[in-house]
Amino acid sequence: MNVRILVAHAGHTGYAERICELMYDSALERGTGIACRPVEYIREKITSGKAVIALDGKQLAGFSYIETWSHKSFVANSGLIVERTYRHLGIASRIKKRIFKLSRELFPDAKIFSITTGAAVMKINSRLGFRPVTFSDLTRDKAFWDGCMGCRNYDILQRNKQLMCLCTGMLYDPAEHRRQSKKSISLQQQTPQTTHLNV
């Protein structure tokens, strides 16, 4: 097995229908989660270079895509799925790392967020520097929350005025990480250097 994780391109649009089927199956299996997307929507993500695909030869192994919200100040890493036969092999982690890297390359100043019910995704997000946040810290873009209509738990989200649901919101704020990095460098510069003398 030689699974490659690639930025998707127009040559991969033939996988769009299977990707949509996988998203639907995943939502049914978990009883929560991934909102369904039309095949054309997935094709557009593939052709615009805003998706990552995992392939074992020509066999689809997994997928994820990028959505932008609030005038590109927020980016969502969405729709992470892995074919059943490729699960528990670290492929989800590899896809997540690559879609995160692609998000940072395309939208370096955007806050990147994820909403998920999956413990494995939360663990991967934490390793990448995401932190759990309330939904009020995420985009207020109505179109994003309307995308949850296909989820079986949409009524819970509506009852809570889009402030909480069964999903956990996680956020990576590049400005926060830049501040932490500067603070760390500043502390290192302030720490006095110890000189050892051999007598």
Side-chain angles (χ1 to χ4, degrees):
M1 186 182 304
N2 181 25
V3 176
R4 296 171 302 136
I5 312 295
L6 312 162
V7 175
H9 56 73
H12 297 129
T13 54
Y15 294 102
E17 283 188 37
R18 179 58 188 151
I19 288 164
C20 289
E21 287 171 9
L22 277 174
M23 287 179 179
Y24 179 74
D25 291 347
S26 177
L28 287 180
E29 283 172 20
R30 289 169 22 187
T32 57
I34 302 173
C36 299
R37 297 289 184 254
V39 174
E40 277 310 311
Y41 185 83
I42 297 302
R43 283 194 184 119
E44 188 278 324
K45 291 296 173 189
I46 291 171
T47 56
S48 65
K50 293 179 185 167
V52 166
I53 193 165
L55 296 173
D56 181 9
K58 292 187 176 181
Q59 172 65 42
L60 175 69
F63 184 79
S64 184
Y65 63 91
I66 295 169
E67 296 178 297
T68 57
W69 304 101
S70 303
H71 307 289
K72 300 183 182 175
S73 60
F74 282 91
V75 169
N77 291 165
S78 301
L80 175 64
I81 46 101
V82 176
E83 278 272 15
R84 181 182 295 279
T85 53
Y86 293 93
R87 292 177 188 170
H88 310 294
L89 300 172
I91 291 167
S93 179
R94 290 173 60 201
I95 293 170
K96 190 72 183 166
K97 286 175 187 171
R98 188 63 188 96
I99 199 73
F100 175 75
K101 184 179 179 210
L102 182 61
S103 299
R104 296 283 292 123
E105 290 165 357
L106 295 177
F107 308 99
D109 297 318
K111 293 177 181 179
I112 304 171
F113 71 99
S114 171
I115 61 170
T116 183
T117 55
V121 173
M122 287 183 234
K123 190 184 284 188
I124 297 164
N125 282 344
S126 294
R127 288 188 195 130
L128 291 170
F130 287 72
R131 61 181 173 83
V133 294
T134 62
F135 281 9
S136 61
D137 291 320
L138 306 179
T139 180
R140 299 317 310 149
D141 197 316
K142 184 179 181 298
F144 172 78
W145 299 104
D146 285 351
C148 293
M149 285 181 189
C151 177
R152 64 189 295 170
N153 297 311
Y154 185 65
D155 64 314
I156 299 171
L157 182 68
Q158 286 300 95
R159 282 200 309 271
N160 290 295
K161 299 184 165 84
Q162 298 174 337
L163 293 175
M164 65 175 74
C165 194
L166 298 183
C167 284
T168 297
M170 299 193 79
L171 184 73
Y172 176 93
D173 184 345
E176 236 173 58
H177 286 270
R178 281 193 290 270
R179 282 193 300 273
Q180 287 171 359
S181 181
K182 284 179 185 174
K183 187 176 179 182
S184 175
I185 290 167
S186 177
L187 285 173
Q188 287 171 4
Q189 290 170 345
Q190 291 172 19
T191 305
Q193 298 298 314
T194 304
T195 305
H196 296 282
L197 298 173
N198 293 323
V199 183

